[in-house]
Amino acid sequence: MNYTPVANTDSSPPHPCHKGYDVVRTWSMKGRASLSQPGGKVALAELDVSVGGTAAVEDPRRQHKPPAVMERLLRRCRVQSQLVRECMAECLGVYIMILFGCGSVAQVVTTEDKKGQYLSINLGFALGTCFGVFVSRGVSGAHLNPAVSLSLCVLGRHPWMKFPFYVFFQVLGAFLAAATVGLQYYEAIRSFGGGELLVTGPKATAGIFSTYPAGYLSLWGGVVDQVIGTAALLVCVLALGDGRNSPAPPGSEPVMVGAAVLVIGVSMGSNSGYALNPARDIGPRLFTYAAGWGDEVFQAGGGWWWVPLVATCIGALLGTLIYELFIEVHHPGGPAELPPLDQGVAMGTTALEGVELDSEKPCNGH
Amino acid sequence: MNYTPVANTDSSPPHPCHKGYDVVRTWSMKGRASLSQPGGKVALAELDVSVGGTAAVEDPRRQHKPPAVMERLLRRCRVQSQLVRECMAECLGVYIMILFGCGSVAQVVTTEDKKGQYLSINLGFALGTCFGVFVSRGVSGAHLNPAVSLSLCVLGRHPWMKFPFYVFFQVLGAFLAAATVGLQYYEAIRSFGGGELLVTGPKATAGIFSTYPAGYLSLWGGVVDQVIGTAALLVCVLALGDGRNSPAPPGSEPVMVGAAVLVIGVSMGSNSGYALNPARDIGPRLFTYAAGWGDEVFQAGGGWWWVPLVATCIGALLGTLIYELFIEVHHPGGPAELPPLDQGVAMGTTALEGVELDSEKPCNGH
Amino acid sequence: MNYTPVANTDSSPPHPCHKGYDVVRTWSMKGRASLSQPGGKVALAELDVSVGGTAAVEDPRRQHKPPAVMERLLRRCRVQSQLVRECMAECLGVYIMILFGCGSVAQVVTTEDKKGQYLSINLGFALGTCFGVFVSRGVSGAHLNPAVSLSLCVLGRHPWMKFPFYVFFQVLGAFLAAATVGLQYYEAIRSFGGGELLVTGPKATAGIFSTYPAGYLSLWGGVVDQVIGTAALLVCVLALGDGRNSPAPPGSEPVMVGAAVLVIGVSMGSNSGYALNPARDIGPRLFTYAAGWGDEVFQAGGGWWWVPLVATCIGALLGTLIYELFIEVHHPGGPAELPPLDQGVAMGTTALEGVELDSEKPCNGH
Amino acid sequence: MNYTPVANTDSSPPHPCHKGYDVVRTWSMKGRASLSQPGGKVALAELDVSVGGTAAVEDPRRQHKPPAVMERLLRRCRVQSQLVRECMAECLGVYIMILFGCGSVAQVVTTEDKKGQYLSINLGFALGTCFGVFVSRGVSGAHLNPAVSLSLCVLGRHPWMKFPFYVFFQVLGAFLAAATVGLQYYEAIRSFGGGELLVTGPKATAGIFSTYPAGYLSLWGGVVDQVIGTAALLVCVLALGDGRNSPAPPGSEPVMVGAAVLVIGVSMGSNSGYALNPARDIGPRLFTYAAGWGDEVFQAGGGWWWVPLVATCIGALLGTLIYELFIEVHHPGGPAELPPLDQGVAMGTTALEGVELDSEKPCNGH
C-alpha cells in the first residue's frame, strides 16, 4: 500500500552492509545524498568521485543493464521552461488538494455521515493541502492559491508577470480535480440524489464541489467570515516560514500548512465552508456548472459565488499585513538593514572564501 | 489554500536578506542540498561552482527592481524596543490561540454538534496553541499564559519587571480574539440563540468564549480540577524543553505543546472546560460582559470566574515543582554546577566576540 | 505500555555494537550533545574528556557479564541471503499493516460503531501502514504492495527477478495477519454474527478482512475508483521520496506514507473500501475462503474480487506516469544527465574505497 | 497556555539580534546548545569559553542578579543515586501516562460520550504514553511497563538487579495517577453513579481505572488478545529503535511510541481494553480496591485481573522474539560480529584520534 523509493531493494548492490541505502540516494537525488553528510572531508571525497571518477570505473554490470525502457521514454518528455514547469506543478498541486478535499466531502455527503463526519472533511482538506504542497513545493513554491500568489506579488516576492499563469493553472487543477471526483463518485452521487443533480435542499450535491453559505449567513457576514479565515491562514503560514521567528522544522512545512488548514476547518468552517482560496472554489463551481448542476450554482446563496473570490484576496492581504506589522518587520537586523537578494548571494559567495561560510548556513540549515 | 513562502519561485527577487534565509533557499532550489550540509569545506567547493560568478556578474535585474513599495512602507513601521516587540508577539500569539480555540467552540455550539464535536474543540485549542506558539516563540518565548509567566518569574528565568506587561498583552490578545470570534459568528450566534445572548441553559452561548463548570462541580472541585490540569501542562512542557532529558525535536516544540493541550482537553476537559490559562478565560469573559451577555458571566457557576485565574497559577507552580523535584534537579552536572543565567548570557556574548559565526546561529539554533 | 530501547539505562550493557548505536546513546545520556554534533573537532575534544580513560581502564564488569543467553541463541538463527531477508521483511511489514488495518475494522464492526467509527478504520490502516513501513523499510524498501513492486519494476528501479518473491511474501503476510485477526476476534465475531460467518447482510463479517463494493457500485465504477485511488497514492509517495522536489523529512517517510493512506481512506473509501493493494485484499480473502466464509467471498459484489487485483496495478502505473510527467522528469539536471542505477551504485562503492567513513552513513542517512 | 522555556525572554541580553535565543540554550542545557552547532571551529571556540574563560570575564550583571531563591532551594534536593533517579523517572512517567489515559476514560464515561468517544480514549492513552516517555526517557529509558523491563532483562539489555525496583515504581506511579484521577473526577463519578461505586452494569465506574473484558470474552480469549496486542506493541517499538532498519527520526521516539499505542487502541481495544502493561492495570485496580469499589474488582470478568499481568509479559517476549527473528538478527554486520560495549566505546575513542571520528557519529546522529 505504499512505496518508499528511497530504500534500495536492488539485489545487485555489491557494497557492504547498509551502504546500499545511501548509495541509491545518491543516485536518486543526484547530488543530494552526498551533501546531507556531516563530515566535510568525506563529502568532498565522494563528490570528487561522483563528478570525475565515475567514467573511469568499468562496472561490469553497466553493460547488461541499460536505463529501463520506461525511463528513457520519460526523458523524451522533458520540458526545460521554468514557467511551464511551475505551472504544471501548481496545476498538479491544486489537483491533489482538491481531489482529496472534495473527495472527502463526497464521501461524507453520499454516505450520509456513515463513512465520515465533518472532521473527516477537515482532514481531507488538511491532508489534501499537505500533499498538494509536497507535490509542488520544490518546483513552484506551492502557492496553490491565487490569493497567496497575489499577496506575494504585492509584497514584491513574486513577479507580477507570472501571476496570471499561476492563477490559470490553479483554477485548471481545481477544475480537473472536481471532474475526477465527479467521475469517481458518479454512481454514488446518482444513487444519493435519486438521479438528480441538486444545488440546494437535503439531497443537494453541489456542495461536494464548491462552497455555499449557511442559511443564516448574509453576504456581508460571508465576506467577514472569509476575510478572517484567509487572514488567519496567512498569519499561520507566514509564521511557519519566518526563519527569524520559530519556523516549522525543515521539510515539515507541508504538514504544518495542512495543520493550519485543519484548524481553520475546525474553527471557521460552519459559516460558509472555509473556501480560503479562489481557485478551490471557482474551479469546482465551473465544473458543476458544466456538468449538469446548471445556473443555480451561481445563483444559490444570494449570488454567493463571488465572495470566495474577492474576500479571500482581501483576507490574504490583511493577514500578510498583520503578520508583517506585529512580527516580521520588527526582527532585529530586519529587512531595512539587509542587502537585496543579489547582494545577499554575493555575500554568501564571499563568505565562502573565509571562515565565515558557516554564517550563511544556519539561515537555511533547516 | 496555502502558502509556503520558503520556496521562492521568483527569478529576480529583490527583497533584502535575512531574506538571507529566502535568498539561499531560492538558490537552493537549484543546488539545494549543498546548503543543508554541515561540513564547511564541501559547501565551499560546491558553492563556488553554483554561484561562483554571481558577485562578478552585474545582474541587470538589480537595477530595475528596487524593493517593492509595500516592503518599503512596512519598514517604516519598525519598532526597536525589545519589550514592545515581545508584548506584540504575546498579544498576537494569544490572539491566534483564542481565535482558533473559541472559534471551534462556536462552530460546535452553533451547529449543535453537526459540524464538529467535543474532539474538534480539543483540536481547535491544541492547534490554536500550536500556531500561537509558532507566531510568537522566536520573539517572546511564547508564554501565552500568565500562569506560565508567573512560574518563570518565580524560578528566576524571567524578569519580574516584564510580568505585568506580558499579562496585560496576553489578556488583550484574548479579548480581541473573542471579539473577532463574536464578529465572525455574529449571525450564527443570533440564529442559534434566537437573538438572545444567554449564559446558561440549552441555548447558552457564553460558553463559546469562557469556561463554566459542569452542573455537578463545586467550586473546590473546580479548583482541584484546574490545579491538576495546569500542573500536568507544566510538567509536559517542562519535559519538552529539558535538554538533558528527552526534549522535543528542535523546531517541533509548538506542535508538542499543542499535543499537551490536546491530551489535557481529552482527559481533563469535562469538569470545567480546561481553561489552564487566566488570560484565556478572563479576556473572553470580559468581552462577553461588554458585548451583551451581561453580569451573569461573573455570577454563573456560583461565581466561577475567579477559579481559572487563581487555580491555574497554583497549578502552574505545583507542576513546575513536581518536574523540578522528580527530574530536572537531579540531572548529573545539574543546575548547581551551572552558571546562573546572566553568566550564561555573558558567556554567549563573549563567545560572539571571538568568532562571529554564532551571530547567525539563532536562525537554526531552534 | 511502551519501550524505547534507544535509551539505555544499564550501567554495563555487554551487548555488541551497532549497538554502536546503543552504545553511544548510553554514553550520551551523560554527555549526549557531543554526539549530535557535526563538527568533528569539537566532538573529538569533548569525547576525549568524556570517555578518555575507558580504553585503558579494565572494566571489571566486562568479565562477569558475557552476551546474554537469549542474544547468543538469536545469533544462531541469522540468515545471510539478502533476498530471504527482504522477503521476511516484506512479510512482516504487510503482516503488521493488515493486523492493525483489519483489526480496526473488526473492532468497529463487532462493536457496531461503539468502540470506533469509520475514522478509526482510516487510522487503523494509516498507522498500520506507517508501522509496516517502519518494520521493513531499512531491509526491503517497504513496498508492501504488489502494485508498487510492479511499478518499480516497470520503471527499472527494482529487478523483475525479485518480483514474484515479493508478491508471494506480501500475500503471505496479509494472509497470516488476517488469520491473527480472526483468532483475536474469534469470540467477538461469533458473538456478533450469532455464530454464523456471513459475507453479506447486516451481520456480515467478511468485510472485516477484504473489500466489498457499495451496493450502488458497478464493476466498472469500482475499477475507476481503484484506479484513481491507487494513482493518487503513488503520486503522493513519489512526491514524498523525490529529493529534488520537497521530500518528507528524513526518517519521517513512514509517517507520511501513512498520512497518504489516511487521506485516501477519508476521501476515497466509501465506494469500495480503498484496497489500493492486491495483497491487502487477496490475502485476507483467501483466509476468509479457507476459514469458513466459503465461496461467496469470491462471488459477492458480482465477482468483485478481481478488481482490487487488476485495477490497483493499473492505477499504480498511471500514478507513476502522472508524477513523472508532471514533475520528476522536468527537474533540472534531471534523469537524462544522471547515471543509471548500477552506475550510481558503482560510484558509491568506489567512493567507499576512498574514505571509509561512508560505510557508516547509512545509519543516519535515512 | 504553554511554555517554551527555550526561548529567551530576559530583557538583559546585551547580545545583538536573536543571538539571545541560543545563548540561553547554552545556559539552560549546559553544554548542549554549543554542540548542536554545525561549524566545528566555532563550537570549539565557544566551548573554550564555556569551560575556561567564563570565570575570567567579569560580567557586571553577575553581581546584582544571583541565582533565584527557588533555584537555590531546588538544588538542595538533588539526588545523586542513578537508581533513585531512574525510579523517580519511571514513577513520574507512568503517572503522567495513566493520569491522561484514565482521565480520558473518566471523561467519556462520566459524560456518557458527550465530551469524548472511544477515539478520545485512544488519544488519551496514546498521548499519555507519549508524554510519559518525554518525561522519563532521558533518565530511565522510559520502560514504563514491567513487561518491557522483563523483555529487556531477558535480552540482557537491562540488569535484572534493577527489575524489581522498576516494577515497584511503575506500579506506584500508576496507583498514584489513579488516585489523582479519582480525586479530579470525584464529583463527576459520584454524580454519574448516583453516589455508588460500581464495578459492573451500565453505571459501572471501575472501568475508568483498570480493564475488564467484554461480555463475550473467555479468559483464554483474553489471554490471546493481550498476548497479540503486547507482541504487536513490542514489534513496533523495537522497529522504531532499530538504528539499522528505519528508525524513528531522532527525538520523535516518544511520539511514535504513542502512535503505536494509538493504533493498538484503535484495532485491538474492544475485546478487553488493551492493557498491554501490567502496571497500568494492577496499579489502578489496587486503587479501586482500596477506594471503595471493593473485592469485586478482582472477581469481575471471571477473575480477569491476572490476565493483564501474565499475558502481557508473554506477549512482550513473543513480540521481541518475532522482531529479532524476522528482522534484527539478520542485519548485515549484526551483533555477532560486533564488539561488546566497552570495546565499542574504546573504538570510538580511538577513532577520534584519526579521521574516522565521523564513523561513529552517524550511528547516533539521530
Side-chain angles (χ1 to χ4, degrees):
Chain A
M1 201 180 282
N2 58 73
Y3 164 26
T4 43
V6 168
N8 175 26
T9 57
D10 181 354
S11 63
S12 52
H15 44 279
C17 168
H18 13 146
K19 274 142 217 173
Y21 184 77
D22 236 35
V23 163
V24 183
R25 278 229 162 195
T26 304
W27 164 74
S28 73
M29 308 181 181
K30 199 191 169 194
R32 183 165 188 256
S34 61
L35 295 162
S36 63
Q37 175 183 334
K41 280 176 193 161
V42 183
L44 252 175
E46 203 187 15
L47 241 121
D48 267 339
V49 174
S50 305
V51 177
T54 317
V57 178
E58 275 299 63
D59 182 355
R61 278 160 313 159
R62 222 199 303 177
Q63 268 76 346
H64 66 71
K65 221 177 166 191
V69 180
M70 181 102 160
E71 195 98 26
R72 269 183 299 164
L73 288 175
L74 286 172
R75 286 176 199 176
R76 297 240 176 98
C77 309
R78 199 167 158 204
V79 167
Q80 300 278 358
S81 156
Q82 172 70 7
L83 181 59
V84 174
R85 287 180 60 225
E86 288 176 15
C87 289
M88 289 168 74
E90 284 291 308
C91 185
L92 186 62
V94 174
Y95 179 87
I96 287 289
M97 177 169 79
I98 301 303
L99 182 68
F100 290 139
C102 289
S104 66
V105 191
Q107 177 158 320
V108 171
V109 167
T110 61
T111 65
E112 299 182 65
D113 280 30
K114 276 195 219 84
K115 304 213 165 170
Q117 297 177 297
Y118 199 72
L119 184 58
S120 64
I121 294 176
N122 298 150
L123 281 174
F125 275 105
L127 288 170
T129 304
C130 166
F131 285 103
V133 177
F134 269 123
V135 159
S136 59
R137 185 163 162 262
V139 178
S140 71
H143 297 191
L144 306 188
N145 186 339
V148 165
S149 297
L150 178 69
S151 295
L152 290 176
C153 288
V154 169
L155 273 174
R157 296 185 190 169
H158 192 68
W160 281 105
M161 186 275 288
K162 287 183 180 179
F163 182 65
F165 295 95
Y166 268 54
V167 172
F168 177 79
F169 279 91
Q170 287 159 356
V171 174
L172 179 65
F175 182 92
L176 293 174
T180 308
V181 172
L183 175 67
Q184 188 169 20
Y185 281 92
Y186 178 73
E187 292 173 324
I189 288 170
R190 286 194 76 81
S191 164
F192 173 78
E196 279 188 280
L197 303 176
L198 300 168
V199 177
T200 52
K203 289 292 181 188
T205 46
I208 291 174
F209 300 95
S210 45
T211 67
Y212 295 89
Y216 56 74
L217 202 74
S218 68
L219 276 189
W220 282 112
V223 169
V224 168
D225 180 65
Q226 284 305 294
V227 167
I228 294 175
T230 319
L233 176 68
L234 266 282
V235 169
C236 289
V237 291
L238 284 169
L240 291 174
D242 181 356
R244 285 172 295 163
N245 192 343
S246 168
S252 77
E253 293 88 349
V255 179
M256 294 317 304
V257 172
V261 173
L262 177 59
V263 72
I264 292 172
V266 149
S267 65
M268 303 177 178
S270 58
N271 281 327
S272 71
Y274 69 119
L276 309 178
N277 182 336
R280 174 258 175 279
D281 200 71
I282 193 69
R285 197 179 299 274
L286 289 171
F287 167 73
T288 49
Y289 176 75
W293 279 265
D295 281 359
E296 213 185 332
V297 300
F298 288 102
Q299 289 153 6
W304 168 258
W305 68 275
W306 62 267
V307 177
L309 303 189
V310 176
T312 53
C313 290
I314 300 169
L317 293 174
L318 177 66
T320 306
L321 207 65
I322 289 173
Y323 188 74
E324 292 288 327
L325 287 181
F326 271 75
I327 306 285
E328 190 151 21
V329 132
H330 314 299
H331 286 314
E337 292 160 17
L338 287 166
L341 172 66
D342 295 314
Q343 208 169 323
V345 172
M347 265 172 39
T349 318
T350 314
L352 295 173
E353 282 153 26
V355 215
E356 274 123 315
L357 168 69
D358 284 309
S359 68
E360 212 45 65
K361 257 189 312 164
C363 290
N364 68 334
H366 45 104
Chain B
M1 199 180 285
N2 58 72
Y3 163 26
T4 44
V6 167
N8 189 333
T9 57
D10 181 353
S11 61
S12 59
H15 48 278
C17 168
H18 236 254
K19 313 304 163 120
Y21 184 73
D22 253 16
V23 163
V24 186
R25 281 248 161 182
T26 304
W27 167 78
S28 73
M29 283 304 141
K30 287 104 207 173
R32 169 179 208 165
S34 61
L35 293 159
S36 63
Q37 173 183 337
K41 280 179 193 159
V42 182
L44 251 173
E46 206 192 10
L47 253 145
D48 265 339
V49 175
S50 307
V51 295
T54 316
V57 177
E58 275 297 63
D59 185 353
R61 281 162 308 168
R62 224 199 299 179
Q63 269 79 341
H64 66 72
K65 222 176 166 190
V69 180
M70 180 102 160
E71 196 97 28
R72 268 183 301 162
L73 289 175
L74 286 172
R75 285 177 199 174
R76 298 242 176 95
C77 309
R78 199 166 158 205
V79 166
Q80 300 276 0
S81 155
Q82 172 70 7
L83 181 59
V84 173
R85 288 180 60 225
E86 289 176 15
C87 289
M88 289 169 75
E90 284 291 308
C91 186
L92 187 62
V94 174
Y95 180 87
I96 288 289
M97 178 170 78
I98 302 303
L99 182 67
F100 290 140
C102 289
S104 66
V105 191
Q107 178 157 319
V108 171
V109 167
T110 60
T111 66
E112 300 183 64
D113 280 30
K114 277 196 219 81
K115 304 215 165 171
Q117 296 177 298
Y118 199 72
L119 184 58
S120 65
I121 294 176
N122 299 150
L123 281 174
F125 276 105
L127 287 170
T129 304
C130 165
F131 284 103
V133 177
F134 269 124
V135 158
S136 59
R137 184 164 162 263
V139 178
S140 71
H143 296 192
L144 308 188
N145 186 338
V148 165
S149 297
L150 177 70
S151 294
L152 290 176
C153 288
V154 169
L155 273 173
R157 296 184 191 171
H158 192 66
W160 280 105
M161 186 276 290
K162 286 186 181 178
F163 182 65
F165 295 95
Y166 268 54
V167 172
F168 177 80
F169 280 92
Q170 286 159 355
V171 174
L172 179 65
F175 182 92
L176 294 174
T180 309
V181 172
L183 176 66
Q184 187 169 22
Y185 282 92
Y186 177 74
E187 292 172 323
I189 288 170
R190 285 195 77 81
S191 163
F192 173 78
E196 279 188 281
L197 302 177
L198 299 168
V199 177
T200 52
K203 289 293 181 187
T205 46
I208 290 174
F209 299 95
S210 45
T211 66
Y212 294 90
Y216 56 75
L217 202 74
S218 68
L219 277 188
W220 282 112
V223 169
V224 168
D225 180 64
Q226 284 306 294
V227 168
I228 294 175
T230 318
L233 177 67
L234 266 282
V235 169
C236 289
V237 290
L238 284 170
L240 291 174
D242 181 356
R244 286 172 295 166
N245 193 344
S246 168
S252 77
E253 294 89 347
V255 179
M256 294 317 304
V257 171
V261 173
L262 177 60
V263 72
I264 292 172
V266 149
S267 66
M268 303 177 178
S270 58
N271 280 328
S272 70
Y274 69 117
L276 308 177
N277 183 334
R280 173 259 175 278
D281 201 71
I282 193 67
R285 197 179 299 275
L286 289 171
F287 166 73
T288 49
Y289 175 73
W293 279 265
D295 281 359
E296 212 185 334
V297 301
F298 288 103
Q299 289 154 5
W304 168 258
W305 68 275
W306 62 267
V307 177
L309 303 189
V310 176
T312 52
C313 290
I314 299 169
L317 293 174
L318 177 67
T320 306
L321 207 65
I322 289 173
Y323 188 74
E324 292 288 327
L325 288 181
F326 271 76
I327 305 285
E328 190 150 19
V329 130
H330 313 299
H331 286 314
E337 294 161 18
L338 287 169
L341 175 62
D342 294 315
Q343 202 166 329
V345 172
M347 270 169 38
T349 317
T350 313
L352 295 173
E353 283 156 26
V355 190
E356 290 297 330
L357 260 47
D358 283 308
S359 67
E360 285 305 331
K361 251 190 314 163
C363 290
N364 69 336
H366 56 97
Chain C
M1 199 181 284
N2 58 72
Y3 163 26
T4 43
V6 167
N8 190 332
T9 57
D10 182 355
S11 61
S12 59
H15 50 278
C17 164
H18 236 252
K19 312 306 166 116
Y21 183 74
D22 251 16
V23 163
V24 185
R25 281 249 162 182
T26 303
W27 167 78
S28 72
M29 284 304 145
K30 287 104 207 172
R32 170 181 209 165
S34 60
L35 293 159
S36 62
Q37 173 183 335
K41 280 177 192 159
V42 182
L44 251 173
E46 207 192 11
L47 251 146
D48 266 339
V49 174
S50 307
V51 295
T54 316
V57 176
E58 275 297 63
D59 184 353
R61 280 161 310 167
R62 220 199 304 179
Q63 268 78 342
H64 66 72
K65 220 173 165 192
V69 180
M70 181 101 160
E71 196 97 26
R72 269 184 300 164
L73 288 175
L74 286 172
R75 286 177 199 176
R76 298 240 175 96
C77 308
R78 197 166 159 206
V79 167
Q80 301 277 358
S81 155
Q82 172 71 7
L83 181 59
V84 173
R85 287 180 59 226
E86 288 176 16
C87 288
M88 288 168 75
E90 284 290 310
C91 186
L92 186 62
V94 174
Y95 180 86
I96 288 290
M97 177 169 78
I98 301 303
L99 182 68
F100 290 140
C102 289
S104 66
V105 191
Q107 177 157 321
V108 171
V109 167
T110 62
T111 65
E112 299 182 65
D113 280 31
K114 276 195 221 82
K115 303 214 165 170
Q117 297 177 297
Y118 200 72
L119 184 59
S120 64
I121 295 176
N122 298 151
L123 281 174
F125 276 105
L127 287 170
T129 304
C130 166
F131 285 103
V133 177
F134 269 124
V135 157
S136 59
R137 184 164 164 262
V139 178
S140 71
H143 296 193
L144 308 188
N145 186 339
V148 165
S149 296
L150 178 69
S151 295
L152 290 176
C153 288
V154 169
L155 272 174
R157 295 185 191 170
H158 192 66
W160 280 105
M161 186 276 288
K162 287 184 180 178
F163 182 64
F165 294 96
Y166 268 54
V167 173
F168 177 79
F169 279 92
Q170 287 159 356
V171 174
L172 179 65
F175 182 92
L176 293 174
T180 309
V181 172
L183 176 67
Q184 188 169 20
Y185 282 92
Y186 178 73
E187 292 171 324
I189 289 170
R190 286 194 77 82
S191 163
F192 173 77
E196 278 188 281
L197 303 177
L198 299 168
V199 177
T200 52
K203 289 292 180 188
T205 45
I208 290 173
F209 300 96
S210 45
T211 67
Y212 295 89
Y216 57 74
L217 202 75
S218 69
L219 277 188
W220 282 111
V223 169
V224 168
D225 180 66
Q226 283 306 294
V227 167
I228 294 174
T230 318
L233 176 67
L234 266 282
V235 169
C236 289
V237 290
L238 284 170
L240 291 174
D242 181 356
R244 285 172 295 165
N245 193 342
S246 168
S252 77
E253 294 88 348
V255 179
M256 295 316 304
V257 171
V261 172
L262 177 59
V263 72
I264 292 172
V266 149
S267 65
M268 303 178 178
S270 58
N271 281 326
S272 70
Y274 69 117
L276 309 177
N277 182 336
R280 175 258 174 278
D281 200 70
I282 193 67
R285 197 178 298 275
L286 289 171
F287 166 73
T288 48
Y289 176 74
W293 279 264
D295 281 0
E296 213 186 333
V297 300
F298 288 102
Q299 289 154 6
W304 167 259
W305 69 275
W306 62 268
V307 177
L309 303 189
V310 176
T312 52
C313 290
I314 299 169
L317 294 174
L318 178 66
T320 305
L321 207 65
I322 289 173
Y323 187 74
E324 292 289 325
L325 287 181
F326 271 75
I327 306 285
E328 189 150 22
V329 131
H330 313 299
H331 286 315
E337 293 160 18
L338 287 168
L341 175 62
D342 293 316
Q343 203 168 327
V345 171
M347 271 168 37
T349 316
T350 312
L352 295 173
E353 283 155 25
V355 189
E356 292 295 332
L357 259 48
D358 283 307
S359 67
E360 284 306 332
K361 251 191 314 165
C363 290
N364 69 336
H366 60 94
Chain D
M1 201 180 281
N2 57 71
Y3 162 26
T4 43
V6 167
N8 177 25
T9 58
D10 181 354
S11 63
S12 52
H15 45 281
C17 164
H18 15 147
K19 274 142 215 169
Y21 184 77
D22 233 34
V23 163
V24 183
R25 277 228 162 197
T26 305
W27 164 75
S28 72
M29 308 178 180
K30 200 194 171 194
R32 183 164 189 256
S34 62
L35 295 162
S36 62
Q37 173 183 335
K41 281 176 193 161
V42 182
L44 250 174
E46 204 188 14
L47 241 121
D48 267 338
V49 174
S50 306
V51 176
T54 315
V57 179
E58 276 298 62
D59 183 355
R61 279 162 311 162
R62 222 199 303 179
Q63 268 77 342
H64 65 73
K65 219 177 166 188
V69 181
M70 181 103 159
E71 196 97 27
R72 269 183 300 163
L73 289 176
L74 286 172
R75 286 176 197 175
R76 299 241 175 96
C77 308
R78 197 164 158 207
V79 167
Q80 301 277 359
S81 156
Q82 172 70 8
L83 181 58
V84 173
R85 288 179 60 226
E86 289 176 15
C87 289
M88 288 168 76
E90 285 291 309
C91 186
L92 187 62
V94 174
Y95 180 87
I96 288 289
M97 177 169 78
I98 302 303
L99 181 68
F100 289 140
C102 290
S104 66
V105 191
Q107 178 157 321
V108 171
V109 167
T110 60
T111 65
E112 300 182 65
D113 281 30
K114 276 195 220 84
K115 303 214 165 172
Q117 296 177 298
Y118 199 72
L119 184 59
S120 64
I121 295 176
N122 298 151
L123 281 174
F125 275 106
L127 287 171
T129 304
C130 166
F131 284 103
V133 177
F134 269 123
V135 158
S136 59
R137 184 163 162 263
V139 178
S140 70
H143 296 192
L144 307 189
N145 186 339
V148 165
S149 297
L150 178 70
S151 295
L152 290 176
C153 288
V154 168
L155 273 173
R157 295 185 191 169
H158 193 67
W160 281 104
M161 185 276 289
K162 287 183 180 178
F163 182 65
F165 294 96
Y166 268 54
V167 172
F168 177 79
F169 279 92
Q170 286 158 355
V171 174
L172 179 65
F175 182 92
L176 293 174
T180 309
V181 172
L183 175 67
Q184 188 169 21
Y185 282 92
Y186 178 73
E187 292 171 324
I189 288 170
R190 286 194 76 82
S191 163
F192 172 78
E196 278 188 281
L197 304 177
L198 299 168
V199 177
T200 52
K203 290 292 182 188
T205 45
I208 290 174
F209 299 96
S210 46
T211 66
Y212 295 90
Y216 56 75
L217 202 75
S218 68
L219 277 188
W220 282 111
V223 169
V224 168
D225 180 65
Q226 283 306 294
V227 167
I228 294 175
T230 319
L233 177 67
L234 266 282
V235 169
C236 289
V237 290
L238 284 170
L240 291 173
D242 181 355
R244 286 171 296 164
N245 192 343
S246 168
S252 78
E253 294 88 349
V255 179
M256 295 316 305
V257 171
V261 172
L262 177 59
V263 72
I264 292 172
V266 149
S267 66
M268 303 177 177
S270 58
N271 281 328
S272 70
Y274 69 117
L276 309 178
N277 182 336
R280 174 258 174 280
D281 200 70
I282 194 67
R285 197 179 299 275
L286 289 171
F287 166 74
T288 48
Y289 175 74
W293 279 265
D295 282 359
E296 212 186 333
V297 300
F298 288 103
Q299 288 154 7
W304 168 258
W305 68 274
W306 63 266
V307 176
L309 302 189
V310 176
T312 52
C313 290
I314 300 170
L317 293 174
L318 177 67
T320 306
L321 207 65
I322 289 174
Y323 188 75
E324 292 288 327
L325 287 181
F326 271 76
I327 305 285
E328 190 150 20
V329 130
H330 313 299
H331 285 315
E337 292 160 16
L338 287 166
L341 172 65
D342 295 315
Q343 209 168 322
V345 172
M347 266 171 40
T349 318
T350 314
L352 295 173
E353 284 153 26
V355 216
E356 272 124 318
L357 168 69
D358 284 307
S359 68
E360 211 47 62
K361 257 190 311 163
C363 290
N364 68 334
H366 44 106

